[in-house]
Amino acid sequence: MRCGILLVTHPGLGNALLQVVRQLLGPAPLPLHCRCLEVDYHGDPLAALPVALDAMNALDSGAGVLVLTDLYGASPSNLASRLQLLHQHCRRVSGLNLPMLMRVMNYPHLALDELTRIAADAPTYGAIVDNA
């Protein structure tokens, strides 16, 4: 069993990141099952809760679901916080970016807690200062 990945982001971001990851990894299916839920800027994030729960249930094969959000404290992150309360095998990491998503995809065999740590550590590995 592998963890599922749910991206909960502002409009345009999650699907764009997923599209880039698919291009970079090639034609094979993604190593982890992923879905993207984009939360409207001016809508009520709790209105998306039933759709988010359906996505969580579809992604959870028994190993849990890692929810990646773009900005802590914003509507997508608040929705993800609710998911954590309602779904026992759910972890949330905010600050989603391309290096984080790529890094998570490189560890499909890890358990939920380990995958959560990999996602949380990703910004450290993905930010490079080039003084050349």
Side-chain angles (χ1 to χ4, degrees):
M1 285 187 286
R2 294 184 176 187
C3 296
I5 305 294
L6 178 61
L7 309 181
V8 182
T9 69
H10 288 93
L13 184 59
N15 283 314
L17 289 172
L18 217 48
Q19 182 178 4
V20 171
V21 167
R22 284 190 174 108
Q23 288 295 317
L24 292 173
L25 294 180
L30 290 176
L32 294 167
H33 294 292
C34 291
R35 288 200 181 181
C36 183
L37 177 62
E38 296 183 343
V39 179
D40 186 50
Y41 290 105
H42 304 293
D44 176 10
L46 293 184
L49 191 57
V51 174
L53 282 171
D54 286 345
M56 293 278 291
N57 290 330
L59 287 167
D60 191 358
S61 63
V65 178
L66 177 59
V67 180
L68 302 176
T69 68
D70 52 3
L71 182 63
Y72 181 79
S75 295
S77 181
N78 293 338
L79 175 59
S81 177
R82 287 291 177 137
L83 291 173
Q84 281 185 290
L85 296 174
L86 298 172
H87 197 279
Q88 183 178 1
H89 294 91
C90 169
R91 302 291 182 273
R92 171 182 57 148
V93 177
S94 296
L96 174 63
N97 57 27
L98 187 56
M100 180 188 291
L101 190 53
M102 285 296 296
R103 191 156 164 79
V104 165
M105 289 298 168
N106 281 302
Y107 295 94
H109 59 282
L110 293 181
L112 182 58
D113 288 336
E114 295 170 295
L115 198 59
T116 301
R117 183 184 48 77
I118 291 291
D121 289 345
T124 304
Y125 297 102
I128 307 297
V129 176
D130 187 356
N131 293 323

